[in-house]
Amino acid sequence: ELRPPGDLSTLHTSSQAETISLSTNRDPGSNQVRIIRSGPHVADQVEVIDLLTGKRKTLPDTSSRVTSQRIAWQEWYKSRDGTWVPMTWLEPPRTPNPPPVLITSYGAYGVPLNRAYQPQWGPILDRGFAVVQIHVRGGGELGPTWHEAGRYRQKENSINDFIDGVDYLLGLSLI
């Protein structure tokens, strides 16, 4: 069944922290489009969407990589100056409550922390740890204004964002 004219269906994301991007399509006249879903919890997944019917199909992963299951989400907390700061949480499906946590952060040169699937986290996640990335000001997560708010004379914001992020996790008994 064709979708009615003017049906501007949205592309739904999962509740996990993920990025969706367009992929290449070998046939420019095709009624199908390919997207790539990626995130800290999953290696790239290619999905084909038929633009006429809206039907979706996830293509099988043909790589030889072995991936462990992961759960990821993004949270926001309020820094001491009232700025909302994002953090990304990554953990295996079954962890003690609360799990031991490795906290990482980077906030310089306008470069965002890598939120793509990172196989190097596998060994620590397989041992029941969670990984938290605190996206402090100075990085590129939220654009040039975010970067400027954490450099030069404002570098203290980056440090306070990290301290306040750890305090937030402690306050909720997550670490």
Side-chain angles (χ1 to χ4, degrees):
E1 176 178 286
L2 294 177
R3 296 189 320 192
D7 178 4
L8 301 175
S9 297
T10 58
L11 186 61
H12 297 284
T13 60
S14 73
S15 60
Q16 301 207 47
E18 69 178 14
T19 301
I20 298 176
S21 58
L22 285 173
S23 181
T24 57
N25 193 342
R26 293 184 184 96
D27 179 7
S30 173
N31 64 338
Q32 296 181 336
V33 66
R34 289 179 180 221
I35 63 166
I36 300 174
R37 291 180 184 271
S38 61
H41 63 293
V42 64
D44 291 355
Q45 288 181 336
V46 179
E47 188 175 316
V48 177
I49 302 172
D50 187 307
L51 297 173
L52 296 176
T53 64
K55 292 188 180 181
R56 301 164 191 231
K57 179 174 91 173
T58 301
L59 299 181
D61 184 1
T62 57
S63 71
S64 60
R65 68 179 162 235
V66 177
T67 60
S68 56
Q69 281 194 311
R70 301 172 177 194
I71 298 170
W73 69 91
Q74 185 168 311
E75 286 189 45
W76 295 75
Y77 65 93
K78 198 180 274 193
S79 191
R80 65 187 68 188
D81 66 357
T83 301
W84 287 95
V85 179
M87 68 171 61
T88 303
W89 186 281
L90 176 65
E91 67 181 37
R94 290 174 217 82
T95 57
N97 195 4
V101 177
L102 170 67
I103 301 172
T104 68
S105 185
Y106 183 77
Y109 304 105
V111 177
L113 275 171
N114 185 352
R115 286 187 33 181
Y117 184 82
Q118 298 180 53
Q120 69 267 23
W121 293 130
I124 196 165
L125 292 166
D126 291 343
R127 287 169 176 76
F129 278 74
V131 177
V132 173
Q133 294 179 323
I134 300 177
H135 306 287
V136 301
R137 285 174 276 183
E141 284 79 8
L142 299 175
T145 303
W146 190 255
H147 168 58
E148 292 296 328
R151 65 187 294 232
Y152 296 126
R153 293 177 191 225
Q154 291 83 27
K155 193 61 186 171
E156 186 176 338
N157 289 335
S158 301
I159 296 162
N160 289 338
D161 289 351
F162 182 81
I163 293 168
D164 296 341
V166 172
D167 286 345
Y168 169 80
L169 295 169
L170 286 167
L172 293 178
S173 299
L174 295 173
I175 59 172

